[in-house]
Amino acid sequence: MNQKILFGTVILMLLSIMNTLSAQDKKNKVNHDIELEVETEYRYFYDGAAFANQKEHFPSVAFRPEYSIDWNKGYEQFNFTGFFRLDVDDERTHWDIRELYYQKVKNDWELSVGIKKVYWGVAESNHLVDIINQTDAVESFDGEDKLGQPMAQFVYTTDNMGSFEFFYLPYHRKRTFSGVKGRFRFPVVIDKDDLQYESSAEEWRQDFAFRWKHYFGAFDIGLTHFYGNGREPLFTFDQLGNINAFYPVINQTGLDLQITHDAFLWKLESIYRTAEAQDFFAMVAGLEFTFSNIDGNGLDIGLLGEYLYDERDELALSALQNDVFFGSRIAFNDTQDTSILVGGMSDLESNSKMFSIEASRRFGSSWTAEIEARVFNAIDDREFILSNFKDDSFFRLSLSRYF
């Protein structure tokens, strides 16, 4: 059974739930909301291709439909978010159900069933504890975009003990890698269907996760645990130097902590992951200081600094093993919601460096423009991941219209 059959089953189940509950609540007010984002994007890689058949120009178009309905005074709702992109790279041409779930809230508990996105973490440069959803690796380089995850989520909130979240995850989604024409790929094109599993149940292994979060004055804390198929494939080498990759069964315990003190935000994310093939510790620690309302018109400038450590060394899929991140977040707080994020990453054991800039601005009530640029500089050949991407510096421009 593939993911298309799974998605079809989930859709039928949720539609049945929605129809049944809507019929029971005909007398209650029902609210509908529908929105469509259409995005045109252009990415330009200005260095020559490292591997044969790779392109330099990547125009694409993406569609993001959203639909939500709530009833029973807002205590019950149904949400859908879809995604489709058409791109020059065949592997980046893809569709996904980002969210399709029913949610019920009552008193101090909340239940969600379906396909959903869940975010954990506080750091800027790397989200170590964020493990529920698979990364949409062909959509963006920074790992911010995620695939929808089939789940049942139960949240219980208390007055004095914080909130407790329980996750049942019945299906694992594989990470997609760039195709022959695409950038950010290895010398050998990796077909996601060629990646195997440590578990004999493969993608149908039943996974579980738990999160507790609470706040104590200036402290916001989260403790998490995940048991199941890892979201990152584990890369190993055979005696001939060929790359082998598979999804291991892992236990991962995570901590995220944020301390707010005046204009300072102190941040920490750390994980300890165990598996049959590999145990390791990783962490991100840093701070953010914000100069507020500098010009008297709402201009905020935040300064960011973080340290990243990963015991996997050069085999870390994130390529962040002993690095420092520095950056600045600029928010104009104007009616156009103009914002800029600039940053850089430097490896403390080599000369490898990455620089980035992201900016966005609204035009009118229905248009948004974004620019993004990433530059790879003096990437060390010993970097297992980044050495393959050292010629993939790029500039991206996108324009979105909301309907």
Side-chain angles (χ1 to χ4, degrees):
M1 183 181 293
N2 58 29
Q3 68 180 37
K4 292 182 180 179
I5 297 176
L6 173 72
F7 286 160
T9 302
V10 173
I11 290 172
L12 291 175
M13 178 188 69
L14 290 172
L15 287 177
S16 176
I17 293 173
M18 186 181 70
N19 289 334
T20 300
L21 293 174
S22 294
Q24 294 175 356
D25 289 271
K26 285 183 178 180
K27 296 181 181 180
N28 294 331
K29 182 180 179 181
V30 177
N31 300 304
H32 300 264
D33 186 44
I34 186 168
E35 185 176 278
L36 172 64
E37 177 188 354
V38 179
E39 174 198 70
T40 56
E41 179 191 82
Y42 172 69
R43 294 191 303 165
Y44 172 59
F45 294 80
Y46 49 84
D47 289 328
F51 309 117
N53 300 315
Q54 285 184 306
K55 302 294 184 181
E56 297 177 355
H57 303 274
F58 291 84
S60 69
V61 60
F63 302 88
R64 299 180 179 89
E66 295 185 12
Y67 173 72
S68 65
I69 176 175
D70 68 78
W71 63 97
N72 191 15
K73 299 180 180 180
Y75 291 107
E76 295 183 78
Q77 59 181 272
F78 175 86
N79 297 284
F80 165 75
T81 302
F83 176 79
F84 173 75
R85 182 177 296 281
L86 180 64
D87 192 89
V88 173
D89 178 10
D90 293 339
E91 292 298 326
R92 198 168 184 251
T93 295
H94 66 300
W95 67 275
D96 183 44
I97 298 176
R98 298 299 204 213
E99 293 192 310
L100 180 70
Y101 67 94
Y102 163 75
Q103 183 179 76
K104 181 178 178 63
V105 178
K106 186 173 183 179
N107 297 328
D108 50 8
W109 61 266
E110 173 185 313
L111 175 66
S112 299
V113 179
I115 299 169
K116 193 176 180 182
K117 290 203 302 181
V118 174
Y119 171 75
W120 296 344
V122 295
E124 180 67 39
S125 55
N126 192 20
H127 308 304
L128 288 172
V129 301
D130 190 30
I131 194 173
I132 293 294
N133 293 83
Q134 177 62 275
T135 297
D136 190 345
V138 294
E139 184 59 22
S140 65
F141 171 77
D142 58 14
E144 296 287 344
D145 290 278
K146 300 289 184 176
L147 300 176
Q149 170 63 45
M151 69 174 70
Q153 176 192 19
F154 180 78
V155 182
Y156 178 69
T157 303
T158 68
D159 294 331
N160 302 317
M161 301 271 304
S163 65
F164 301 83
E165 301 180 45
F166 303 87
F167 296 85
Y168 167 61
L169 312 168
Y171 184 80
H172 177 271
R173 303 194 62 190
K174 290 184 175 181
R175 184 173 299 196
T176 301
F177 297 89
S178 297
V180 174
K181 300 177 183 178
R183 294 300 188 107
F184 301 114
R185 72 168 177 86
F186 300 99
V188 176
V189 177
I190 298 177
D191 186 337
K192 70 174 183 179
D193 294 328
D194 291 337
L195 272 65
Q196 304 302 312
Y197 289 89
E198 177 184 343
S199 170
S200 60
E202 299 184 334
E203 66 267 37
W204 289 102
R205 190 186 188 284
Q206 308 301 284
D207 301 340
F208 300 91
F210 167 79
R211 175 175 171 82
W212 169 75
K213 62 180 179 180
H214 198 24
Y215 68 91
F216 306 92
F219 294 78
D220 288 276
I221 187 171
L223 291 174
T224 62
H225 189 79
F226 173 91
Y227 174 54
N229 285 324
R231 274 34 182 170
E232 293 179 314
L234 176 62
F235 288 86
T236 60
F237 298 92
D238 62 22
Q239 295 180 345
L240 299 177
N242 297 316
I243 298 176
N244 299 311
F246 67 96
Y247 291 97
V249 176
I250 68 170
N251 273 284
Q252 175 175 303
T253 301
L255 164 69
D256 59 273
L257 174 66
Q258 180 169 286
I259 305 173
T260 305
H261 178 67
D262 295 330
F264 282 95
L265 291 177
W266 301 87
K267 304 178 181 183
L268 171 68
E269 288 189 35
S270 65
I271 61 170
Y272 184 70
R273 184 182 299 176
T274 61
E276 185 69 26
Q278 181 188 59
D279 298 347
F280 73 91
F281 168 79
M283 63 166 283
V284 182
L287 61 86
E288 178 175 353
F289 180 82
T290 301
F291 298 93
S292 301
N293 198 22
I294 292 177
D295 61 351
N297 292 310
L299 176 65
D300 296 340
I301 298 180
L303 302 179
L304 304 100
E306 294 180 349
Y307 171 70
L308 303 95
Y309 174 74
D310 193 314
E311 283 186 337
R312 286 175 293 180
D313 200 38
E314 69 275 3
L315 289 181
L317 195 58
S318 65
L320 304 173
Q321 312 92 42
N322 187 18
D323 300 67
V324 291
F325 166 80
F326 52 89
S328 178
R329 191 196 321 275
I330 304 172
F332 290 84
N333 292 312
D334 54 2
T335 57
Q336 291 79 33
D337 197 23
T338 307
S339 63
I340 303 173
L341 176 64
V342 295
M345 192 84 68
S346 179
D347 192 309
L348 297 178
E349 298 178 0
S350 70
N351 292 322
S352 300
K353 293 179 175 61
M354 296 183 290
F355 302 96
S356 66
I357 180 171
E358 301 175 48
S360 65
R361 180 181 174 87
R362 287 207 313 262
F363 295 91
S365 60
S366 57
W367 294 89
T368 298
E370 296 181 0
I371 62 170
E372 177 186 3
R374 295 189 183 269
V375 178
F376 300 90
N377 180 257
I379 302 299
D380 195 302
D381 288 338
R382 292 173 296 178
E383 295 269 10
F384 169 63
I385 299 295
L386 286 183
S387 61
N388 294 283
F389 304 157
K390 61 184 178 181
D391 296 322
D392 290 340
S393 298
F394 72 92
F395 171 79
R396 180 181 72 90
L397 172 65
S398 71
L399 184 64
S400 298
R401 171 73 188 277
Y402 296 87
F403 298 89

